[in-house]
Amino acid sequence: MLILRRSDVAEILAGREAEIIDLVAEAYRLHDEGRTALPHSTFLRFPEEEHRRDRIIGLPAYRGGTSPVAGMKWIASFPGNVAAGIERATATVVLNSLETGRPSAFLEGSVISAKRTAASAALAARVLAGQAPPTGVTLVGCGVINLEVLRFLKAALPGLCEATLHDMDPARAEAFTRTCAEAVPGVRVTVAVDLGEALAAHPLLSLATTAAEPHLDLSACAPGTTVLHVSLRDLTVETILGAVNVVDDADHVCREQTSLHLAEQRTGNRDFVAAPIGALLRDTEHIEREPGQHVVYSPFGLGVLDIALAEYVRERAERDGLGVRVEEFLHS
């Protein structure tokens, strides 16, 4: 068993945004071709009121293609951690041999999870931008995910030079500006205390909050804004129904009281979903938007992305001699 610590994973993935975006794109293509296996994620929730917002999610997955891999991500989201000064989410990934089924690697997964999430969002921004890639983005929610989103957007959209931040905690947003300036030099970062001002600032918007239920419409946004709806529960049903909606997988995203799940419950169908990202990448489907209509990308976060990126990390760790190998993990 190869055990890879967070420091190992971070070292391997540092500066590899373009490669990770390509890896995520290939995973989406394989998924659209039916060459993956993705059971529904399992949500472990807790009966106590103090844990109402907490959850632990299991995402098993298999990616086929030329380098097949199977495994599972186990990720905990405890929003209350933020107030305590520790990270909201922690994750681990286990990979299994496709020859014997035995576990072959155990990886710290929060870096993998954040980067694959951001790569998915940046890929969608590039695909949906059309002929006029945006030069600025609004980030609502000043946490780990939107930091990675900004980093990956800069790789996917080299002309990006401005970012406007908004967070419920203005002090947190101000501190985040310094983090962004260090992590993504060349992007001018400002804070908008007023949410409406932030939404109106740019035609590209990334929502990465801890919202448990819809609270936001896009009336303050510029016409034709592209929305990266990463946290999945921010937008009202009316907003979803009025937008062109792109998803990673409709079966996965229309669950667990996401905004799209609520829209499905309201309408009794999924006609409001225009296309999956994999089909757009394969050019087998296309979207049409009315002048000024918003496009909303809602990625559930498919486990196949975690497994694909974890295998990428494992291969490089084996090559570079990183991690801790436990020879007697299965046998005494």
Side-chain angles (χ1 to χ4, degrees), residues 245-266:
N245 290 282
V246 176
V247 300
D248 51 4
D249 185 296
D251 284 339
H252 286 259
V253 80
C254 291
R255 298 180 65 227
E256 294 294 328
Q257 301 302 298
T258 65
S259 295
L260 280 79
H261 188 198
L262 297 177
E264 180 186 33
Q265 292 174 337
R266 171 85 62 86

Side-chain angles (χ1 to χ4, degrees), residues 18-329:
E19 291 177 62
I20 296 170
I21 290 172
D22 289 344
L23 181 147
V24 165
E26 179 60 17
Y28 280 145
R29 291 189 190 96
L30 288 169
H31 183 59
D32 196 63
E33 292 170 4
R35 300 171 72 186
T36 64
L38 278 170
H40 278 151
S41 307
T42 296
F43 281 68
L44 177 62
R45 300 187 186 276
F46 310 98
E48 293 82 8
E49 178 60 26
E50 63 265 29
H51 289 295
R52 181 180 62 85
R53 298 172 65 203
D54 301 335
R55 61 187 187 272
I56 308 178
I57 312 170
L59 293 88
Y62 164 79
R63 181 199 66 186
T66 56
S67 301
V69 60
M72 179 171 177
K73 179 175 77 170
W74 183 241
I75 180 167
S77 174
F78 280 55
N81 287 355
V82 175
I86 58 178
E87 292 179 340
R88 174 188 62 83
T90 53
T92 54
V93 179
V94 61
L95 299 177
N96 293 78
S97 166
L98 286 170
E99 294 181 1
T100 65
R102 293 181 172 183
S104 57
F106 187 75
L107 303 87
E108 196 284 331
S110 62
V111 175
I112 288 171
S113 186
K115 288 187 181 293
R116 67 80 155 148
T117 299
S120 170
L123 172 67
R126 186 169 68 190
V127 170
L128 299 173
Q131 300 300 312
T135 58
V137 60
T138 293
L139 307 176
V140 175
C142 294
V144 172
I145 297 301
N146 258 343
L147 176 62
E148 291 294 340
V149 167
L150 182 59
R151 196 196 311 269
F152 276 82
L153 283 173
K154 182 60 178 174
L157 305 170
L160 193 81
C161 59
E162 292 185 83
T164 300
L165 312 179
H166 177 82
D167 194 275
M168 291 180 63
D169 181 351
R172 178 177 167 86
E174 288 290 349
F176 195 65
T177 62
R178 297 186 288 274
T179 304
C180 291
E182 182 178 335
V184 193
V187 175
R188 184 171 66 89
V189 181
T190 58
V191 174
V193 176
D194 179 73
L195 177 58
E197 178 188 344
L199 295 178
H202 305 288
L204 179 62
L205 167 65
S206 175
L207 301 172
T209 76
T210 58
E213 55 189 36
H215 62 99
L216 184 65
D217 63 39
L218 301 176
S219 58
C221 292
T225 294
T226 297
V227 182
L228 309 174
H229 188 207
V230 178
S231 38
L232 293 178
R233 294 170 178 83
D234 298 275
L235 299 178
T236 64
V237 169
E238 291 77 15
T239 301
I240 292 294
L241 295 179
V244 175
N245 290 282
V246 176
V247 300
D248 51 4
D249 185 296
D251 284 339
H252 286 259
V253 80
C254 291
R255 298 180 65 227
E256 294 294 328
Q257 301 302 298
T258 65
S259 295
L260 280 79
H261 188 198
L262 297 177
E264 180 186 33
Q265 292 174 337
R266 171 85 62 86
T267 62
N269 59 61
R270 297 177 183 171
D271 294 347
F272 54 87
V273 175
I277 187 72
L280 298 182
L281 290 167
R282 295 178 61 224
D283 204 30
T284 57
E285 293 187 35
H286 304 87
I287 60 171
E288 297 182 4
R289 58 202 293 183
E290 299 294 329
Q293 191 174 19
H294 302 309
V295 175
V296 175
Y297 176 58
S298 298
F300 188 74
L302 303 181
V304 69
L305 305 184
D306 300 284
I307 300 309
L309 189 50
E311 175 65 4
Y312 175 95
V313 170
R314 185 200 64 77
E315 289 176 350
R316 279 151 184 77
E318 295 274 13
R319 182 193 65 193
D320 298 339
L322 295 175
V324 177
R325 184 166 291 282
V326 181
E327 300 294 349
E328 297 179 351
F329 182 81

